[in-house]
Amino acid sequence: MPYITIPKQLREPSRVIKSQLFLRPKRLAIFEACLIGLVAGLAGVLLKSGVGWLGSWRVATSTLIPAWILLPSVGLCGGLLTGFLVERFAPETAGSGIPHVKAALGGVNLALDLRVAVAKLLTTILAVGSGLTLGRQGPTVQIGASLAGWIGHLMPTSPDYRRQLIACGAAAGLAAGFNAPIAGVLFVVEELLYDVSGLTLGTAIIASFIGAVVSQLLGGDSLSLNLREYQTSFDAQEIPFYILLGVLAGLLGALFTKGIIASLQFNRRTLKLALPVRIAIAGVICGLVIGFLPETFRDNTGLREFMLTGEASGITSLIAFIAHFFLTIISSASGAPGGLFSPSLVMGSALGHMVGIVQADSLGVGLPVTYALAGMGAFFCAVTRAPITAVVIVFEITADFKLVLPLMICCVVAYLMAEKVESGSLYTHLLEFNGIQLTKTKAASNTLSDLYAEDVMQRRVETLSSLLTFDEVIQAFSRSHHRGFPVVEDGKLVGIVSQTDLANASERNFSGNSLLKEFMTVQPIAVKAKDTLSEVLYRLNNYNISRLPVVEGRRLVGIITRSDIIRVESDRLSGETTQGPHPEPSYVVYQTRAPQVGNGRLLVPLSNPQTAPALLRLAAAIARDRNYELECLQIILVPRNSSPSETAVRTTKSRRLLQQAERIIRNLNLPVHTQIRVAHDVPHAILETIKDRHIDLILMGWQGETSTTGRIFGDVVDTVIRQAGCEVILVKWSEKILATRNKNELSAALSGRKYASIEWDLNAEGVDGADHPTARSSDSSATPETELSPPNSDIPGAELGLHTLMGLHRWLVPIRGGYKQAAALRLLPALVAASAVPEIKLCQVHQPSGAEPDRGELKQAAEFIKRRVSCSIIATSVCAKSVSDALIDLAQNDQCDAIVLGASREGLLKQVIHGNIPEAVARGCDCTVILVRSAN
């Protein structure tokens, strides 16, 4: 907001006013509700005056010029001008405007501002005043909501609060249109917002009251019904006739809704005329029909009063109903700005008057006036599907308590009958016709209800162990900019520690050796990954905290702060969106689920049956060591011009491979989940799986070389390394380990076995295999979206995987920096578990020109491994100019079977500049290379 310079002598009082009024949400809400009610009431009065003046001129002139000439001419000119203004300045103002407001309150990004309000006001005056059979009360809802949206932009607020302001404007607009403040509030709650919270009701009531008062003082009675001298009656004998009236109103109201939708479809698919032409044609038709009818039909208000006072005959009521029924459908389907409230009331009164005449001729108990008024509410209810609003709006117009029971009977029956014929109000069907689907659940929540904690949370979380000492916790805080840390045990959230906890511990004289679990906050407040941001924000405000852990069960999967939500709200307020094309999301076509009993989840993408058993054995060893669940993923690629969710794919062979994977893992007594995704590309499908399934570690195959300039591993692996927040492990299998497998495959081929076609290559690098030969049969062809199970082999898959891991005896592990942070060292116990007699060689490589490395770290690393693995461990230091050459020489001289390389995300991305060490090592020696990239 712009700042206004305030004189010095007024600054202190202004600060008091600002602090006591504008910075207090409830007082600010009351002030804004009053302002919205005032401007909406003035707009309603201006609209009524404009329509009344133009309509009075049209009716008066029709007595001087033949009506069959004047009325169509006025309709033609008014329709053309109205259509031009709508099409040129504000296309949002076409129609009644209530569906537009309903969509905006439901979270759809539609314009509601001063431009829309002014355009709606002018075009409604032209359309309704020119004789189109539409009303002005519906447009007042959109005008009031647009003015409220404009005020909300002048006083920037959160999206949720601005939504409540729009609801206030809609309520004030309807209240000004009918001089019915209670009905205005109920219509917003019942039809538009589905929200009965205290703030929404309170502000809506204030705005409606002020809008109705302004309209009453400046514009007089809304419907000009002089009913005080006409009495109404109700007797129990009339109940069957009121039920009949409700049934007829429900059936005809549903038919009226279907007629409007059918006419809209006809205009869009068959006529295909411009908006000004459609509105002009509707104006001509309305003018011609009204011109040949009695003079009473030229004024909707006079016609309604004529029937309500009982002066009309049954034939007049029938003609009025039929004429308004079809003319309103034509006018509304043309897209002319105008509402359906007033025509619904006219048709309802005509229908009720006819039933009242039948009752009077049969029983002679009740008065047709009562039936006409009850019919108004019944038909209104059948169209809007708002029975409470229908009852209250007619009651507020008449102020007659005797009408309440007849109204309730007719409205409830009409509502049930209309819902039986076709569910949903006219406004809901209009939104669906325009491709907008709303549900009551969505509309009842705020604008952040479609965002979840998992969409905004930070997945890379710095955590502390509950076994850290007080001094170690202080050091952790000193090294980080965070003011608090989640505390975990075995991957599960057990507490949280903040600077306040440290201060309290210091005051209580905790010693430096006191454990964190003694002074941390236990049972911390947390949110689930599927909780909406509204729930997250409520908990942050309710408990006055700045961050919340995000959990899945008891497992920590992320953390969310106020800053994360502020960033999202800022993007929503400014309307900023990410530019550029977005890949279409992948689609899950098959999945199986196991019990969620692990401390984390390990993802294994599978595509190469040749190496899948070994990769699964390795994944199982890691999962057992860390108590993780396993997630096996198959990705089926489809062309970019096909939607993953709509493309038919064959999943038989993919499911067969996953089922084999399940058997291997379940034989090891580990929980395993599987899924098949259809996608445009592999890396985005993997990243979506990591996000959706809260993956802690991903294990992938790696070819060991890349021919792409500027890439370390290739498109798929590079993308995962750059964007995945979890730990990443890459495996390049040694050719000599797979020799037995290849030999068996060759023997099988020579013996005449046929294999189904296999499409190994995924973006030229495979996901779970290294260099894999293509096996094709003569009677089948590969398709780019096919993923198959492994070819037949003499060695079962499970035994092959075990054989592969048992073949890894000598392990070479380079050490750099602190051993406690080395992800490769933490992984070693799981890697060597399947080896019969493992040997581990730790080495440090230093430059000849550099200083001697600290051998203490190397010794500590060896001790660290000895405490976890019972095997031979050798520690050595090597002086060499090239790290990759030194590792290759060591691996060849010592005949190592596997090299385990550890690196951070940043370190791997620098490989492009300083030399691709992992690729050089993998290419230079014929042994298995395992690369571990830490999550943090």
Side-chain angles (χ1 to χ4, degrees), residues 18-74:
K18 187 176 180 181
S19 63
Q20 293 187 354
L21 175 61
F22 293 102
L23 292 185
R24 295 191 177 183
K26 289 186 177 180
R27 294 188 179 183
L28 178 61
I30 293 173
F31 170 76
E32 289 177 329
C34 294
L35 180 60
I36 290 170
L38 177 62
V39 297
L42 292 174
V45 172
L46 186 58
L47 178 62
K48 178 183 178 182
S49 301
V51 171
W53 176 83
L54 186 57
S56 299
W57 172 84
R58 177 175 55 84
V59 173
T61 308
S62 66
T63 60
L64 305 177
I65 302 175
W68 62 271
I69 296 178
L70 176 72
L71 296 183
S73 301
V74 173

Short mmCIF file of all heavy atoms in Angstrom, two decimals, residues 18-74:
data_model
loop_
_atom_site.label_atom_id
_atom_site.label_comp_id
_atom_site.label_asym_id
_atom_site.label_seq_id
_atom_site.Cartn_x
_atom_site.Cartn_y
_atom_site.Cartn_z
N LYS A 18 -4.16 3.14 14.35
CA LYS A 18 -3.71 2.00 13.53
C LYS A 18 -3.60 0.74 14.35
O LYS A 18 -4.02 -0.34 13.95
CB LYS A 18 -2.37 2.34 12.88
CG LYS A 18 -1.91 1.29 11.88
CD LYS A 18 -0.62 1.76 11.23
CE LYS A 18 -0.14 0.73 10.21
NZ LYS A 18 1.10 1.14 9.58
N SER A 19 -3.06 0.87 15.55
CA SER A 19 -2.85 -0.32 16.38
C SER A 19 -4.15 -0.84 16.94
O SER A 19 -4.31 -2.04 17.12
CB SER A 19 -1.88 0.00 17.53
OG SER A 19 -2.46 0.99 18.37
N GLN A 20 -5.10 0.07 17.23
CA GLN A 20 -6.34 -0.37 17.86
C GLN A 20 -7.44 -0.73 16.85
O GLN A 20 -8.39 -1.41 17.20
CB GLN A 20 -6.87 0.74 18.78
CG GLN A 20 -5.96 0.97 19.98
CD GLN A 20 -6.57 1.94 20.97
OE1 GLN A 20 -7.61 2.52 20.72
NE2 GLN A 20 -5.92 2.12 22.10
N LEU A 21 -7.29 -0.27 15.61
CA LEU A 21 -8.34 -0.57 14.64
C LEU A 21 -7.84 -1.45 13.51
O LEU A 21 -8.25 -2.58 13.36
CB LEU A 21 -8.91 0.73 14.08
CG LEU A 21 -9.96 0.57 12.95
CD1 LEU A 21 -11.16 -0.20 13.45
CD2 LEU A 21 -10.37 1.93 12.42
N PHE A 22 -6.90 -0.95 12.73
CA PHE A 22 -6.56 -1.60 11.48
C PHE A 22 -5.68 -2.82 11.66
O PHE A 22 -5.61 -3.66 10.80
CB PHE A 22 -5.88 -0.60 10.54
CG PHE A 22 -6.81 0.47 10.09
CD1 PHE A 22 -6.76 1.74 10.64
CD2 PHE A 22 -7.78 0.21 9.13
CE1 PHE A 22 -7.64 2.72 10.23
CE2 PHE A 22 -8.65 1.20 8.72
CZ PHE A 22 -8.59 2.45 9.27
N LEU A 23 -4.96 -2.93 12.78
CA LEU A 23 -4.12 -4.08 12.98
C LEU A 23 -4.81 -5.18 13.76
O LEU A 23 -4.21 -6.20 14.03
CB LEU A 23 -2.81 -3.68 13.66
CG LEU A 23 -1.88 -2.80 12.82
CD1 LEU A 23 -0.57 -2.58 13.55
CD2 LEU A 23 -1.61 -3.42 11.46
N ARG A 24 -6.07 -4.95 14.13
CA ARG A 24 -6.84 -5.98 14.81
C ARG A 24 -7.77 -6.62 13.81
O ARG A 24 -8.66 -5.97 13.25
CB ARG A 24 -7.62 -5.39 15.98
CG ARG A 24 -6.69 -4.84 17.06
CD ARG A 24 -7.45 -4.50 18.32
NE ARG A 24 -6.55 -4.04 19.37
CZ ARG A 24 -6.94 -3.73 20.60
NH1 ARG A 24 -8.22 -3.86 20.92
NH2 ARG A 24 -6.07 -3.32 21.48
N PRO A 25 -7.62 -7.90 13.55
CA PRO A 25 -8.34 -8.53 12.44
C PRO A 25 -9.85 -8.37 12.53
O PRO A 25 -10.50 -8.11 11.52
CB PRO A 25 -7.92 -10.00 12.55
CG PRO A 25 -6.59 -9.96 13.24
CD PRO A 25 -6.68 -8.82 14.20
N LYS A 26 -10.43 -8.53 13.72
CA LYS A 26 -11.89 -8.47 13.82
C LYS A 26 -12.41 -7.07 13.52
O LYS A 26 -13.41 -6.91 12.82
CB LYS A 26 -12.33 -8.92 15.21
CG LYS A 26 -12.15 -10.43 15.45
CD LYS A 26 -12.74 -10.86 16.77
CE LYS A 26 -12.60 -12.38 16.95
NZ LYS A 26 -13.17 -12.84 18.23
N ARG A 27 -11.70 -6.05 14.05
CA ARG A 27 -12.14 -4.68 13.78
C ARG A 27 -11.96 -4.32 12.32
O ARG A 27 -12.79 -3.63 11.73
CB ARG A 27 -11.38 -3.71 14.68
CG ARG A 27 -11.69 -3.89 16.15
CD ARG A 27 -11.06 -2.79 16.98
NE ARG A 27 -11.38 -2.95 18.40
CZ ARG A 27 -11.01 -2.09 19.34
NH1 ARG A 27 -10.30 -1.04 19.02
NH2 ARG A 27 -11.34 -2.31 20.60
N LEU A 28 -10.87 -4.77 11.74
CA LEU A 28 -10.66 -4.53 10.32
C LEU A 28 -11.74 -5.23 9.50
O LEU A 28 -12.24 -4.67 8.52
CB LEU A 28 -9.27 -5.02 9.91
CG LEU A 28 -8.91 -4.88 8.43
CD1 LEU A 28 -8.95 -3.42 8.01
CD2 LEU A 28 -7.55 -5.48 8.16
N ALA A 29 -12.11 -6.43 9.89
CA ALA A 29 -13.15 -7.16 9.17
C ALA A 29 -14.49 -6.42 9.26
O ALA A 29 -15.22 -6.34 8.26
CB ALA A 29 -13.28 -8.57 9.75
N ILE A 30 -14.81 -5.89 10.43
CA ILE A 30 -16.06 -5.14 10.58
C ILE A 30 -16.05 -3.89 9.71
O ILE A 30 -17.04 -3.55 9.03
CB ILE A 30 -16.29 -4.79 12.07
CG1 ILE A 30 -16.54 -6.06 12.87
CG2 ILE A 30 -17.45 -3.81 12.21
CD1 ILE A 30 -16.61 -5.83 14.37
N PHE A 31 -14.93 -3.18 9.71
CA PHE A 31 -14.82 -1.97 8.90
C PHE A 31 -14.99 -2.29 7.41
O PHE A 31 -15.73 -1.62 6.70
CB PHE A 31 -13.46 -1.31 9.15
CG PHE A 31 -13.14 -0.20 8.18
CD1 PHE A 31 -13.74 1.04 8.32
CD2 PHE A 31 -12.26 -0.40 7.13
CE1 PHE A 31 -13.46 2.07 7.43
CE2 PHE A 31 -11.96 0.61 6.25
CZ PHE A 31 -12.57 1.87 6.39
N GLU A 32 -14.32 -3.34 6.96
CA GLU A 32 -14.42 -3.70 5.54
C GLU A 32 -15.82 -4.20 5.20
O GLU A 32 -16.33 -3.92 4.11
CB GLU A 32 -13.38 -4.77 5.21
CG GLU A 32 -11.96 -4.23 5.22
CD GLU A 32 -10.92 -5.32 4.95
OE1 GLU A 32 -11.18 -6.48 5.33
OE2 GLU A 32 -9.87 -5.00 4.38
N ALA A 33 -16.47 -4.93 6.11
CA ALA A 33 -17.83 -5.39 5.86
C ALA A 33 -18.79 -4.21 5.72
O ALA A 33 -19.67 -4.20 4.85
CB ALA A 33 -18.29 -6.33 6.97
N CYS A 34 -18.63 -3.20 6.57
CA CYS A 34 -19.46 -2.00 6.47
C CYS A 34 -19.23 -1.28 5.15
O CYS A 34 -20.18 -0.84 4.48
CB CYS A 34 -19.17 -1.06 7.64
SG CYS A 34 -19.63 -1.70 9.26
N LEU A 35 -17.98 -1.16 4.76
CA LEU A 35 -17.66 -0.48 3.50
C LEU A 35 -18.22 -1.25 2.31
O LEU A 35 -18.80 -0.65 1.38
CB LEU A 35 -16.14 -0.34 3.37
CG LEU A 35 -15.62 0.36 2.11
CD1 LEU A 35 -16.17 1.78 2.03
CD2 LEU A 35 -14.10 0.37 2.09
N ILE A 36 -18.09 -2.56 2.34
CA ILE A 36 -18.62 -3.38 1.24
C ILE A 36 -20.14 -3.28 1.18
O ILE A 36 -20.73 -3.15 0.10
CB ILE A 36 -18.18 -4.84 1.41
CG1 ILE A 36 -16.68 -4.97 1.16
CG2 ILE A 36 -18.96 -5.77 0.48
CD1 ILE A 36 -16.11 -6.32 1.53
N GLY A 37 -20.80 -3.34 2.33
CA GLY A 37 -22.25 -3.20 2.35
C GLY A 37 -22.71 -1.86 1.80
O GLY A 37 -23.70 -1.77 1.07
N LEU A 38 -21.96 -0.80 2.11
CA LEU A 38 -22.32 0.54 1.64
C LEU A 38 -22.21 0.63 0.12
O LEU A 38 -23.15 1.05 -0.57
CB LEU A 38 -21.41 1.57 2.30
CG LEU A 38 -21.60 3.02 1.86
CD1 LEU A 38 -23.00 3.51 2.19
CD2 LEU A 38 -20.55 3.92 2.50
N VAL A 39 -21.06 0.23 -0.43
CA VAL A 39 -20.87 0.37 -1.89
C VAL A 39 -21.78 -0.60 -2.65
O VAL A 39 -22.28 -0.27 -3.74
CB VAL A 39 -19.40 0.16 -2.27
CG1 VAL A 39 -18.52 1.23 -1.64
CG2 VAL A 39 -18.90 -1.22 -1.86
N ALA A 40 -22.01 -1.81 -2.11
CA ALA A 40 -22.91 -2.75 -2.78
C ALA A 40 -24.34 -2.23 -2.77
O ALA A 40 -25.08 -2.37 -3.76
CB ALA A 40 -22.83 -4.12 -2.11
N GLY A 41 -24.76 -1.62 -1.65
CA GLY A 41 -26.10 -1.03 -1.59
C GLY A 41 -26.26 0.11 -2.58
O GLY A 41 -27.29 0.21 -3.27
N LEU A 42 -25.27 0.98 -2.67
CA LEU A 42 -25.34 2.08 -3.63
C LEU A 42 -25.39 1.55 -5.06
O LEU A 42 -26.12 2.08 -5.90
CB LEU A 42 -24.13 3.00 -3.45
CG LEU A 42 -24.08 3.80 -2.13
CD1 LEU A 42 -22.76 4.55 -2.02
CD2 LEU A 42 -25.27 4.76 -2.05
N ALA A 43 -24.59 0.51 -5.35
CA ALA A 43 -24.61 -0.07 -6.69
C ALA A 43 -25.97 -0.69 -6.99
O ALA A 43 -26.48 -0.58 -8.12
CB ALA A 43 -23.52 -1.13 -6.81
N GLY A 44 -26.59 -1.35 -5.99
CA GLY A 44 -27.91 -1.92 -6.19
C GLY A 44 -28.96 -0.86 -6.48
O GLY A 44 -29.83 -1.04 -7.34
N VAL A 45 -28.88 0.25 -5.76
CA VAL A 45 -29.82 1.35 -6.00
C VAL A 45 -29.63 1.93 -7.39
O VAL A 45 -30.59 2.21 -8.12
CB VAL A 45 -29.64 2.43 -4.92
CG1 VAL A 45 -30.47 3.67 -5.26
CG2 VAL A 45 -30.05 1.90 -3.56
N LEU A 46 -28.37 2.13 -7.79
CA LEU A 46 -28.08 2.68 -9.11
C LEU A 46 -28.57 1.73 -10.21
O LEU A 46 -29.13 2.18 -11.22
CB LEU A 46 -26.57 2.90 -9.25
CG LEU A 46 -26.09 3.60 -10.52
CD1 LEU A 46 -26.74 4.98 -10.65
CD2 LEU A 46 -24.58 3.73 -10.52
N LEU A 47 -28.40 0.44 -10.00
CA LEU A 47 -28.87 -0.54 -10.99
C LEU A 47 -30.39 -0.51 -11.09
O LEU A 47 -30.96 -0.52 -12.19
CB LEU A 47 -28.39 -1.93 -10.60
CG LEU A 47 -28.84 -3.08 -11.51
CD1 LEU A 47 -28.31 -2.90 -12.92
CD2 LEU A 47 -28.37 -4.43 -10.95
N LYS A 48 -31.07 -0.46 -9.95
CA LYS A 48 -32.53 -0.43 -9.96
C LYS A 48 -33.05 0.84 -10.63
O LYS A 48 -33.98 0.78 -11.45
CB LYS A 48 -33.05 -0.50 -8.53
CG LYS A 48 -34.57 -0.43 -8.45
CD LYS A 48 -35.06 -0.44 -7.01
CE LYS A 48 -36.58 -0.32 -6.97
NZ LYS A 48 -37.11 -0.27 -5.60
N SER A 49 -32.40 1.94 -10.35
CA SER A 49 -32.84 3.21 -10.95
C SER A 49 -32.63 3.19 -12.45
O SER A 49 -33.49 3.65 -13.22
CB SER A 49 -32.08 4.38 -10.31
OG SER A 49 -32.31 4.42 -8.92
N GLY A 50 -31.46 2.69 -12.88
CA GLY A 50 -31.18 2.66 -14.31
C GLY A 50 -32.13 1.75 -15.07
O GLY A 50 -32.67 2.11 -16.14
N VAL A 51 -32.36 0.54 -14.54
CA VAL A 51 -33.28 -0.38 -15.19
C VAL A 51 -34.70 0.19 -15.18
O VAL A 51 -35.43 0.10 -16.18
CB VAL A 51 -33.24 -1.76 -14.50
CG1 VAL A 51 -34.35 -2.66 -15.01
CG2 VAL A 51 -31.89 -2.42 -14.72
N GLY A 52 -35.09 0.79 -14.05
CA GLY A 52 -36.43 1.36 -13.95
C GLY A 52 -36.64 2.50 -14.92
O GLY A 52 -37.69 2.61 -15.57
N TRP A 53 -35.64 3.37 -15.08
CA TRP A 53 -35.78 4.50 -16.00
C TRP A 53 -35.88 4.04 -17.44
O TRP A 53 -36.78 4.45 -18.18
CB TRP A 53 -34.57 5.44 -15.83
CG TRP A 53 -34.59 6.57 -16.82
CD1 TRP A 53 -35.28 7.75 -16.72
CD2 TRP A 53 -33.93 6.59 -18.10
NE1 TRP A 53 -35.09 8.52 -17.84
CE2 TRP A 53 -34.26 7.83 -18.71
CE3 TRP A 53 -33.10 5.69 -18.77
CZ2 TRP A 53 -33.78 8.20 -19.96
CZ3 TRP A 53 -32.63 6.05 -20.03
CH2 TRP A 53 -32.95 7.28 -20.61
N LEU A 54 -34.97 3.15 -17.87
CA LEU A 54 -34.99 2.68 -19.25
C LEU A 54 -36.23 1.85 -19.53
O LEU A 54 -36.85 1.96 -20.59
CB LEU A 54 -33.72 1.86 -19.53
CG LEU A 54 -33.52 1.40 -20.98
CD1 LEU A 54 -33.51 2.60 -21.93
CD2 LEU A 54 -32.23 0.61 -21.11
N GLY A 55 -36.63 1.02 -18.56
CA GLY A 55 -37.83 0.21 -18.75
C GLY A 55 -39.08 1.06 -18.80
O GLY A 55 -39.99 0.80 -19.61
N SER A 56 -39.16 2.09 -17.96
CA SER A 56 -40.32 2.98 -17.96
C SER A 56 -40.42 3.72 -19.29
O SER A 56 -41.51 3.89 -19.85
CB SER A 56 -40.23 3.98 -16.82
OG SER A 56 -40.21 3.30 -15.58
N TRP A 57 -39.28 4.17 -19.82
CA TRP A 57 -39.28 4.85 -21.12
C TRP A 57 -39.76 3.91 -22.22
O TRP A 57 -40.54 4.30 -23.08
CB TRP A 57 -37.86 5.35 -21.44
CG TRP A 57 -37.73 5.89 -22.82
CD1 TRP A 57 -38.03 7.14 -23.26
CD2 TRP A 57 -37.30 5.15 -23.98
NE1 TRP A 57 -37.82 7.25 -24.60
CE2 TRP A 57 -37.37 6.04 -25.07
CE3 TRP A 57 -36.88 3.84 -24.18
CZ2 TRP A 57 -37.01 5.65 -26.36
CZ3 TRP A 57 -36.52 3.45 -25.46
CH2 TRP A 57 -36.59 4.34 -26.54
N ARG A 58 -39.31 2.66 -22.15
CA ARG A 58 -39.70 1.69 -23.18
C ARG A 58 -41.20 1.43 -23.13
O ARG A 58 -41.88 1.40 -24.17
CB ARG A 58 -38.92 0.39 -22.96
CG ARG A 58 -39.28 -0.73 -23.92
CD ARG A 58 -38.38 -1.95 -23.70
NE ARG A 58 -38.40 -2.40 -22.32
CZ ARG A 58 -39.33 -3.22 -21.82
NH1 ARG A 58 -40.30 -3.67 -22.60
NH2 ARG A 58 -39.29 -3.58 -20.56
N VAL A 59 -41.73 1.22 -21.91
CA VAL A 59 -43.17 0.94 -21.77
C VAL A 59 -44.00 2.16 -22.18
O VAL A 59 -45.02 2.04 -22.87
CB VAL A 59 -43.49 0.53 -20.33
CG1 VAL A 59 -45.00 0.40 -20.12
CG2 VAL A 59 -42.81 -0.80 -20.00
N ALA A 60 -43.56 3.36 -21.76
CA ALA A 60 -44.32 4.57 -22.09
C ALA A 60 -44.29 4.84 -23.60
O ALA A 60 -45.31 5.23 -24.19
CB ALA A 60 -43.74 5.76 -21.32
N THR A 61 -43.15 4.63 -24.21
CA THR A 61 -43.04 4.89 -25.65
C THR A 61 -43.84 3.89 -26.45
O THR A 61 -44.32 4.19 -27.56
CB THR A 61 -41.55 4.84 -26.07
OG1 THR A 61 -40.79 5.68 -25.22
CG2 THR A 61 -41.38 5.31 -27.51
N SER A 62 -44.01 2.68 -25.92
CA SER A 62 -44.77 1.66 -26.65
C SER A 62 -46.24 2.02 -26.79
O SER A 62 -46.96 1.41 -27.59
CB SER A 62 -44.63 0.30 -25.96
OG SER A 62 -45.26 0.32 -24.68
N THR A 63 -46.71 3.01 -25.99
CA THR A 63 -48.10 3.48 -26.14
C THR A 63 -48.22 4.50 -27.26
O THR A 63 -49.33 4.78 -27.71
CB THR A 63 -48.60 4.09 -24.82
OG1 THR A 63 -47.75 5.20 -24.46
CG2 THR A 63 -48.55 3.06 -23.69
N LEU A 64 -47.09 5.07 -27.66
CA LEU A 64 -47.10 6.07 -28.73
C LEU A 64 -46.75 5.46 -30.08
O LEU A 64 -47.28 5.87 -31.11
CB LEU A 64 -46.09 7.18 -28.40
CG LEU A 64 -46.29 7.88 -27.05
CD1 LEU A 64 -45.18 8.91 -26.82
CD2 LEU A 64 -47.67 8.55 -26.99
N ILE A 65 -45.85 4.50 -30.08
CA ILE A 65 -45.43 3.81 -31.29
C ILE A 65 -45.94 2.37 -31.18
O ILE A 65 -45.91 1.79 -30.10
CB ILE A 65 -43.90 3.84 -31.44
CG1 ILE A 65 -43.42 5.29 -31.47
CG2 ILE A 65 -43.45 3.10 -32.70
CD1 ILE A 65 -41.91 5.43 -31.51
N PRO A 66 -46.38 1.78 -32.26
CA PRO A 66 -46.86 0.39 -32.17
C PRO A 66 -45.86 -0.52 -31.47
O PRO A 66 -44.66 -0.52 -31.80
CB PRO A 66 -47.06 -0.01 -33.64
CG PRO A 66 -47.34 1.28 -34.33
CD PRO A 66 -46.52 2.33 -33.62
N ALA A 67 -46.35 -1.28 -30.52
CA ALA A 67 -45.47 -2.10 -29.69
C ALA A 67 -44.73 -3.14 -30.52
O ALA A 67 -43.56 -3.45 -30.25
CB ALA A 67 -46.28 -2.79 -28.58
N TRP A 68 -45.38 -3.68 -31.56
CA TRP A 68 -44.72 -4.72 -32.34
C TRP A 68 -43.58 -4.16 -33.19
O TRP A 68 -42.79 -4.91 -33.75
CB TRP A 68 -45.73 -5.45 -33.20
CG TRP A 68 -46.42 -4.55 -34.21
CD1 TRP A 68 -47.55 -3.83 -34.03
CD2 TRP A 68 -46.01 -4.32 -35.55
NE1 TRP A 68 -47.89 -3.13 -35.15
CE2 TRP A 68 -46.94 -3.43 -36.11
CE3 TRP A 68 -44.95 -4.78 -36.34
CZ2 TRP A 68 -46.86 -2.96 -37.43
CZ3 TRP A 68 -44.86 -4.33 -37.65
CH2 TRP A 68 -45.78 -3.43 -38.19
N ILE A 69 -43.50 -2.82 -33.28
CA ILE A 69 -42.37 -2.18 -33.97
C ILE A 69 -41.34 -1.69 -32.96
O ILE A 69 -40.12 -1.93 -33.12
CB ILE A 69 -42.85 -1.00 -34.84
CG1 ILE A 69 -43.77 -1.49 -35.96
CG2 ILE A 69 -41.66 -0.23 -35.42
CD1 ILE A 69 -44.33 -0.37 -36.81
N LEU A 70 -41.80 -1.01 -31.91
CA LEU A 70 -40.87 -0.40 -30.95
C LEU A 70 -40.12 -1.45 -30.13
O LEU A 70 -38.89 -1.38 -30.01
CB LEU A 70 -41.64 0.54 -30.01
CG LEU A 70 -40.76 1.16 -28.92
CD1 LEU A 70 -39.83 2.20 -29.49
CD2 LEU A 70 -41.60 1.73 -27.79
N LEU A 71 -40.84 -2.37 -29.55
CA LEU A 71 -40.19 -3.31 -28.62
C LEU A 71 -39.12 -4.16 -29.30
O LEU A 71 -38.01 -4.31 -28.76
CB LEU A 71 -41.25 -4.20 -27.96
CG LEU A 71 -42.27 -3.46 -27.07
CD1 LEU A 71 -43.22 -4.45 -26.42
CD2 LEU A 71 -41.57 -2.62 -26.02
N PRO A 72 -39.35 -4.74 -30.48
CA PRO A 72 -38.24 -5.46 -31.14
C PRO A 72 -37.08 -4.55 -31.51
O PRO A 72 -35.93 -4.97 -31.45
CB PRO A 72 -38.90 -6.06 -32.38
CG PRO A 72 -40.35 -6.11 -32.09
CD PRO A 72 -40.63 -4.92 -31.22
N SER A 73 -37.39 -3.30 -31.90
CA SER A 73 -36.32 -2.38 -32.27
C SER A 73 -35.45 -2.03 -31.07
O SER A 73 -34.21 -2.01 -31.16
CB SER A 73 -36.92 -1.10 -32.88
OG SER A 73 -37.70 -1.39 -34.02
N VAL A 74 -36.09 -1.75 -29.95
CA VAL A 74 -35.33 -1.46 -28.73
C VAL A 74 -34.52 -2.68 -28.31
O VAL A 74 -33.34 -2.57 -27.92
CB VAL A 74 -36.27 -1.01 -27.59
CG1 VAL A 74 -35.51 -0.88 -26.27
CG2 VAL A 74 -36.93 0.31 -27.94
#
